[in-house]
Amino acid sequence: MKSLLIALQFLTRIPVPVKDCTPEQVRASIYWYGVVGLVIGVILLAAQTLLLWLLPWDADSAVAALLLTLWVMLTGALHLDGLADSADAWLGGHGDREKSLAIMKDPQSGPAGVIAIVLVLLLKFSLVLYLQQHQQMFYLLLVPMLARAMAEGKPVEEFD
Protein backbone atom coordinates (compact mmCIF):
# COMPACT_ATOMS: atom_id res chain seq x y z
CA MET A 1 0.00 0.00 0.00
CA LYS A 2 2.93 2.35 0.63
CA SER A 3 3.90 1.99 -3.03
CA LEU A 4 0.48 3.33 -4.04
CA LEU A 5 0.97 6.34 -1.77
CA ILE A 6 4.43 6.91 -3.26
CA ALA A 7 2.93 6.86 -6.77
CA LEU A 8 0.16 9.25 -5.69
CA GLN A 9 2.73 11.60 -4.13
CA PHE A 10 4.98 11.51 -7.19
CA LEU A 11 2.32 11.91 -9.91
CA THR A 12 -0.07 14.35 -8.22
CA ARG A 13 -0.19 17.32 -5.89
CA ILE A 14 -2.65 15.50 -3.63
CA PRO A 15 -1.10 15.81 -0.16
CA VAL A 16 0.12 12.35 0.80
CA PRO A 17 2.61 12.16 3.67
CA VAL A 18 5.06 9.42 2.72
CA LYS A 19 8.41 9.15 4.46
CA ASP A 20 11.18 6.61 4.76
CA CYS A 21 10.70 4.88 1.42
CA THR A 22 12.88 1.97 0.46
CA PRO A 23 14.19 1.69 -3.11
CA GLU A 24 12.02 -1.43 -3.52
CA GLN A 25 8.88 0.52 -2.57
CA VAL A 26 9.77 3.31 -4.99
CA ARG A 27 10.40 0.73 -7.73
CA ALA A 28 7.07 -0.99 -6.97
CA SER A 29 5.20 2.32 -7.14
CA ILE A 30 5.26 2.20 -10.95
CA TYR A 31 2.72 -0.62 -10.84
CA TRP A 32 0.26 1.81 -9.26
CA TYR A 33 0.64 4.57 -11.87
CA GLY A 34 -2.47 3.46 -13.77
CA VAL A 35 -4.49 3.52 -10.54
CA VAL A 36 -3.27 7.06 -9.86
CA GLY A 37 -4.41 8.03 -13.37
CA LEU A 38 -7.80 6.49 -12.61
CA VAL A 39 -8.00 8.56 -9.40
CA ILE A 40 -7.28 11.69 -11.45
CA GLY A 41 -9.99 10.69 -13.94
CA VAL A 42 -12.55 10.06 -11.17
CA ILE A 43 -11.80 13.46 -9.64
CA LEU A 44 -12.22 15.13 -13.05
CA LEU A 45 -15.53 13.36 -13.71
CA ALA A 46 -16.81 14.27 -10.25
CA ALA A 47 -15.78 17.89 -10.82
CA GLN A 48 -17.52 17.93 -14.19
CA THR A 49 -20.73 16.62 -12.64
CA LEU A 50 -20.56 19.26 -9.90
CA LEU A 51 -19.77 22.07 -12.35
CA LEU A 52 -22.63 21.15 -14.69
CA TRP A 53 -24.96 21.13 -11.70
CA LEU A 54 -23.68 24.48 -10.36
CA LEU A 55 -23.61 26.36 -13.66
CA PRO A 56 -27.22 26.72 -14.83
CA TRP A 57 -26.47 28.06 -18.30
CA ASP A 58 -24.96 26.36 -21.30
CA ALA A 59 -21.38 26.62 -20.03
CA ASP A 60 -19.56 23.86 -21.90
CA SER A 61 -16.51 26.04 -22.61
CA ALA A 62 -16.29 27.27 -19.03
CA VAL A 63 -16.62 23.74 -17.65
CA ALA A 64 -13.95 22.45 -20.05
CA ALA A 65 -11.60 25.28 -19.04
CA LEU A 66 -12.19 24.63 -15.33
CA LEU A 67 -11.66 20.88 -15.79
CA LEU A 68 -8.39 21.51 -17.62
CA THR A 69 -7.31 23.90 -14.84
CA LEU A 70 -8.10 21.26 -12.23
CA TRP A 71 -6.23 18.64 -14.26
CA VAL A 72 -3.11 20.82 -14.39
CA MET A 73 -3.42 21.60 -10.67
CA LEU A 74 -3.83 17.92 -9.76
CA THR A 75 -0.70 16.92 -11.66
CA GLY A 76 1.35 19.97 -10.71
CA ALA A 77 2.05 20.59 -14.41
CA LEU A 78 4.76 17.92 -14.16
CA HIS A 79 4.61 16.95 -17.82
CA LEU A 80 4.07 20.52 -19.04
CA ASP A 81 7.31 21.59 -17.38
CA GLY A 82 9.15 18.72 -19.07
CA LEU A 83 7.58 19.65 -22.40
CA ALA A 84 8.73 23.26 -22.04
CA ASP A 85 12.27 22.18 -21.15
CA SER A 86 12.39 19.80 -24.12
CA ALA A 87 11.07 22.39 -26.57
CA ASP A 88 13.55 25.02 -25.37
CA ALA A 89 16.45 22.56 -25.52
CA TRP A 90 15.48 21.38 -28.99
CA LEU A 91 15.29 24.92 -30.33
CA GLY A 92 18.22 26.39 -28.43
CA GLY A 93 20.57 23.41 -28.33
CA HIS A 94 21.20 23.29 -32.06
CA GLY A 95 22.11 19.61 -31.80
CA ASP A 96 24.73 20.19 -29.09
CA ARG A 97 24.03 17.70 -26.29
CA GLU A 98 25.77 19.69 -23.54
CA LYS A 99 24.06 22.94 -24.52
CA SER A 100 20.67 21.18 -24.65
CA LEU A 101 21.20 19.70 -21.18
CA ALA A 102 22.21 23.10 -19.80
CA ILE A 103 19.04 24.65 -21.26
CA MET A 104 16.91 21.88 -19.75
CA LYS A 105 18.41 22.55 -16.30
CA ASP A 106 17.53 26.25 -16.49
CA PRO A 107 14.32 26.80 -14.48
CA GLN A 108 13.12 29.57 -16.78
CA SER A 109 11.06 28.79 -19.87
CA GLY A 110 11.95 30.32 -23.21
CA PRO A 111 9.65 31.16 -26.11
CA ALA A 112 9.64 27.62 -27.53
CA GLY A 113 8.65 26.19 -24.15
CA VAL A 114 5.85 28.68 -23.64
CA ILE A 115 4.50 28.12 -27.15
CA ALA A 116 4.62 24.33 -26.68
CA ILE A 117 2.67 24.58 -23.42
CA VAL A 118 0.06 26.92 -24.92
CA LEU A 119 -0.47 24.65 -27.93
CA VAL A 120 -0.76 21.48 -25.83
CA LEU A 121 -3.23 23.14 -23.44
CA LEU A 122 -5.29 24.45 -26.38
CA LEU A 123 -5.39 20.94 -27.82
CA LYS A 124 -6.37 19.42 -24.46
CA PHE A 125 -9.05 22.08 -23.96
CA SER A 126 -10.56 21.41 -27.37
CA LEU A 127 -10.55 17.65 -26.74
CA VAL A 128 -12.17 17.99 -23.29
CA LEU A 129 -14.79 20.30 -24.82
CA TYR A 130 -15.42 17.81 -27.65
CA LEU A 131 -15.80 14.88 -25.23
CA GLN A 132 -18.15 16.92 -23.09
CA GLN A 133 -20.34 18.06 -25.99
CA HIS A 134 -20.61 14.49 -27.30
CA GLN A 135 -21.31 12.90 -23.90
CA GLN A 136 -18.08 10.89 -24.08
CA MET A 137 -16.62 11.97 -20.74
CA PHE A 138 -15.88 8.36 -19.74
CA TYR A 139 -12.75 8.86 -21.85
CA LEU A 140 -11.63 11.26 -19.16
CA LEU A 141 -11.24 8.19 -16.97
CA LEU A 142 -9.21 6.35 -19.57
CA VAL A 143 -6.83 9.07 -20.76
CA PRO A 144 -5.05 9.81 -17.45
CA MET A 145 -5.11 6.11 -16.52
CA LEU A 146 -3.58 4.89 -19.79
CA ALA A 147 -1.06 7.75 -19.92
CA ARG A 148 0.30 6.77 -16.53
CA ALA A 149 -0.05 3.01 -16.92
CA MET A 150 2.10 3.15 -20.05
CA ALA A 151 4.97 4.88 -18.23
CA GLU A 152 8.21 2.99 -18.43
CA GLY A 153 10.07 2.95 -15.16
CA LYS A 154 13.79 3.24 -14.62
CA PRO A 155 15.48 1.39 -11.81
CA VAL A 156 16.00 3.63 -8.78
CA GLU A 157 19.76 3.22 -9.06
CA GLU A 158 19.74 5.14 -12.37
CA PHE A 159 18.50 8.27 -10.57
CA ASP A 160 21.47 8.45 -8.20
Side-chain angles (χ1 to χ4, degrees):
M1 189 54 95
K2 192 166 188 177
S3 294
L4 170 60
L5 296 176
I6 292 167
L8 198 59
Q9 184 183 53
F10 178 65
L11 295 174
T12 71
R13 291 289 152 228
I14 298 171
V16 182
V18 179
K19 296 179 182 173
D20 303 322
C21 306
T22 66
E24 293 78 25
Q25 290 169 326
V26 174
R27 227 179 273 119
S29 71
I30 195 167
Y31 299 112
W32 292 99
Y33 283 12
V35 174
V36 172
L38 186 61
V39 168
I40 293 169
V42 167
I43 292 170
L44 292 174
L45 278 181
Q48 186 222 17
T49 302
L50 179 65
L51 287 168
L52 289 175
W53 179 74
L54 287 174
L55 302 175
W57 64 91
D58 186 21
D60 285 346
S61 294
V63 170
L66 290 168
L67 285 176
L68 183 57
T69 302
L70 176 61
W71 198 344
V72 170
M73 289 172 56
L74 278 172
T75 62
L78 176 67
H79 294 96
L80 293 174
D81 180 53
L83 171 68
D85 287 344
S86 298
D88 285 336
W90 175 73
L91 186 66
H94 303 290
D96 180 348
R97 185 176 193 274
E98 293 306 316
K99 189 173 182 183
S100 294
L101 289 173
I103 290 170
M104 289 176 75
K105 288 180 183 177
D106 184 354
Q108 296 179 348
S109 289
V114 172
I115 290 168
I117 288 173
V118 168
L119 292 176
V120 165
L121 289 176
L122 275 172
L123 179 61
K124 277 181 121 172
F125 169 79
S126 65
L127 292 172
V128 169
L129 183 61
Y130 176 86
L131 292 174
Q132 189 172 294
Q133 290 175 337
H134 292 86
Q135 286 81 38
Q136 302 290 317
M137 290 304 285
F138 66 91
Y139 284 111
L140 211 52
L141 283 174
L142 294 177
V143 169
M145 182 184 73
L146 290 175
R148 282 145 190 87
M150 301 305 289
E152 183 178 327
K154 285 185 166 186
V156 173
E157 295 80 27
E158 289 186 33
F159 291 105
D160 294 337

